[in-house]
Amino acid sequence: MAGAASALFLLDVKGRVLLWRDFRGDVTSLEAERFFTKLVETENCNAASLLLFLHRLIKVFKHYFEEFEEESLRDNFVVVYELLDEMMDFGYPQYTEANILSEFIKTDAYRMEAIQRPPMAVTNAVSWRSEGLKYKRNEVFLDVIESVNILVNSNGQLIRSDVIGALKMRTCLSGMPECKLGLNDRLLLEAQGQTTRGKAIDMEDIKFHQCVRLARFENDRTISFIPPDGSFDLMTYRLTSQVKPLIWVEAQVERYSRSRVEIMIKARSQFKERSYATNVEIDLPVPPDATNPKIRTSMGTATYTPENDSILWKIKSFPGNKEYLLRAEFRLPSVSADDGAPERKAPVRVRFEIPYFTISGIQVKYLKIIEKSGYQSLPWVRYITMAG
């Protein structure tokens, strides 16, 4: 049957089988030891789903054993077999949440109780959340974080521009709440007959946590879900529309002689005045044989880091629509032009964070929490843009 795994093998660095669980009885351990050369037969399973399962399996092992090593597998082989039996049934992945599995499979296998009832999450359709959770203060924290990746050439032309966004949540909610999240998604606003001028955005490559009801989202673009307890990534997305650099950096190099060079860096913020960037770091590469740099800045501090062959300019707070300067003068060994090799120019790197700001214009229109007990909850939303 397509989609089912025949067996799961755990190998050492030399390719020898440490432990294995046979799910379907149609392979042997010898086939695992020569899997690099084995020809692929008909009816392959879904490789992507199994890779995801293996990734989840390693996370569960690390949750139980702290370190995922050969010795930890040998010392805890009883727990390993217990986990494999619960996480996969007849070759199909089942429960892969470590916090759910740890409720009835204990790390110390020798002291497990004789009778253990599985948690409600195992017998329920919601495998990522246990029932009976209670909090004195019901709160939801949602962080909208966007990472900006921009590459500009020496002529000031934009070569690459993309934005990677993530909605990270931390929930402290009692019971089994139903959450509904609304964004200024262009397709959603058009479906509702609302105007899309202004702040509507087009998101691409959207990936959701398993708790999101995909059928509901595909039908009316509503993000509806029963959240896991604690922290998790609700969704990620990507924007490929061109965006201007939030902090524009210009570099000028002046050679006054064979051994004296002066660099001037001009950094200008290109966002609104009411916003500000924090923890700004501008990494300026210098020649590896530079000595005795003299650095002056109009704002912040700059230090020469010879181990990285660069000058690190730090500005704690960079308001919008501002411009700051850095001048650095340093010495080079005196060599003739004939002996000099072509100079390798490394890029200037900029790192920053801008709170309460998103470059894409994404907005959380609403975040509703509905629970049958009818308690009141407090949703908190925060926006952050940072350099990728």
Side-chain angles (χ1 to χ4, degrees):
M1 183 183 295
S6 297
L8 179 64
F9 297 87
L10 300 177
L11 312 178
D12 62 12
V13 293
K14 296 182 179 179
R16 296 175 299 194
V17 178
L18 292 174
L19 299 170
W20 68 295
R21 170 64 74 191
D22 187 1
F23 296 110
R24 302 175 66 85
D26 55 356
V27 296
T28 65
S29 60
L30 284 177
E31 294 177 87
E33 294 182 354
R34 60 173 186 264
F35 72 96
F36 282 115
T37 57
K38 180 184 176 184
L39 296 177
V40 179
E41 299 177 351
T42 59
E43 287 272 7
N44 290 330
C45 63
N46 188 331
S49 66
L50 290 182
L51 288 174
L52 179 60
F53 171 77
L54 293 175
H55 178 71
R56 294 285 184 88
L57 180 65
I58 292 175
K59 289 182 66 175
V60 170
F61 284 164
K62 288 183 177 180
H63 173 80
Y64 274 84
F65 312 140
E66 296 293 338
E67 296 292 336
F68 182 58
E69 302 289 347
E70 178 179 340
E71 293 183 5
S72 63
L73 292 176
R74 293 184 184 277
D75 294 341
N76 298 281
F77 69 93
V78 175
V79 181
V80 171
Y81 283 127
E82 289 278 354
L83 291 170
L84 294 178
D85 288 339
E86 296 296 335
M87 295 180 68
M88 183 168 278
D89 185 18
F90 198 62
Y92 292 95
Q94 301 296 317
Y95 312 107
T96 58
E97 295 291 333
N99 58 339
I100 299 298
L101 291 167
S102 61
E103 293 188 19
F104 64 100
I105 297 181
K106 307 300 181 182
T107 304
D108 189 355
Y110 303 102
R111 291 197 294 267
M112 289 182 65
E113 297 181 7
I115 300 176
Q116 285 283 350
R117 289 189 175 184
M120 292 297 295
V122 173
T123 57
N124 197 349
V126 185
S127 63
W128 53 86
R129 184 181 180 90
S130 298
E131 290 190 350
L133 296 174
K134 292 183 179 180
Y135 287 94
K136 293 182 179 179
R137 186 180 178 90
N138 293 283
E139 295 178 310
V140 175
F141 301 90
L142 174 60
D143 287 343
V144 182
I145 301 175
E146 290 188 342
S147 299
V148 184
N149 301 288
I150 296 178
L151 183 62
V152 180
N153 64 14
S154 58
N155 297 323
Q157 296 176 335
L158 196 64
I159 298 177
R160 191 190 71 180
S161 170
D162 60 61
V163 178
I164 307 297
L167 272 63
K168 298 180 178 290
M169 294 194 75
R170 182 166 67 89
T171 61
C172 302
L173 297 173
S174 304
M176 287 293 240
E178 174 84 15
C179 297
K180 294 183 179 180
L181 177 68
L183 304 173
N184 58 334
D185 182 8
R186 187 181 301 277
L187 295 179
L188 174 61
L189 297 179
E190 290 176 350
Q192 295 176 346
Q194 301 182 28
T195 178
T196 58
R197 291 181 299 177
K199 292 295 186 179
I201 64 169
D202 296 308
M203 295 182 292
E204 303 176 13
D205 295 342
I206 302 176
K207 298 178 182 178
F208 289 109
H209 187 273
Q210 62 177 333
C211 66
V212 176
R213 295 183 174 89
L214 296 180
R216 178 75 181 274
F217 179 78
E218 293 174 356
N219 184 39
D220 58 10
R221 305 290 287 190
T222 299
I223 302 175
S224 177
F225 58 97
I226 297 177
D229 185 49
S231 300
F232 67 100
D233 290 351
L234 177 64
M235 65 173 284
T236 59
Y237 60 91
R238 182 172 62 92
L239 299 175
T240 55
S241 57
Q242 286 195 354
V243 295
K244 65 179 181 181
L246 296 174
I247 297 181
W248 181 264
V249 176
E250 296 180 6
Q252 296 181 0
V253 180
E254 295 286 346
R255 291 183 177 271
Y256 294 100
S257 65
R258 290 184 178 179
S259 61
R260 190 167 73 90
V261 178
E262 182 175 305
I263 298 179
M264 185 184 74
I265 299 295
K266 185 186 299 182
R268 183 174 69 253
S269 56
Q270 300 190 123
F271 46 88
K272 295 181 180 180
E273 293 183 3
R274 65 172 178 264
S275 299
Y276 61 93
T278 62
N279 302 320
V280 179
E281 294 184 356
I282 302 175
D283 200 2
L284 170 65
V286 298
D289 51 359
T291 58
N292 302 324
K294 298 178 181 178
I295 307 172
R296 303 188 307 275
T297 63
S298 60
M299 177 62 68
T301 60
T303 56
Y304 173 55
T305 55
E307 65 275 10
N308 298 324
D309 297 326
S310 66
I311 295 175
L312 184 59
W313 185 12
K314 294 184 179 181
I315 303 174
K316 189 174 183 180
S317 180
F318 202 139
N321 199 21
K322 290 287 185 180
E323 183 176 288
Y324 299 124
L325 297 176
L326 176 145
R327 292 181 182 273
E329 180 182 334
F330 51 86
R331 299 284 179 175
L332 295 176
S334 179
V335 296
S336 63
D338 296 335
D339 298 333
E343 184 178 356
R344 181 177 178 271
K345 297 180 179 179
V348 177
R349 301 182 183 275
V350 183
R351 295 179 290 271
F352 60 87
E353 289 185 7
I354 306 178
Y356 316 112
F357 175 84
T358 56
I359 194 169
S360 67
I362 188 173
Q363 292 180 354
V364 177
K365 292 293 186 181
Y366 60 83
L367 177 55
K368 300 178 181 179
I369 298 100
I370 305 170
E371 215 276 333
K372 60 183 180 180
S373 63
Y375 61 71
Q376 296 295 320
S377 58
L378 298 174
W380 304 89
V381 181
R382 181 175 60 171
Y383 300 92
I384 300 175
T385 295
M386 62 178 61

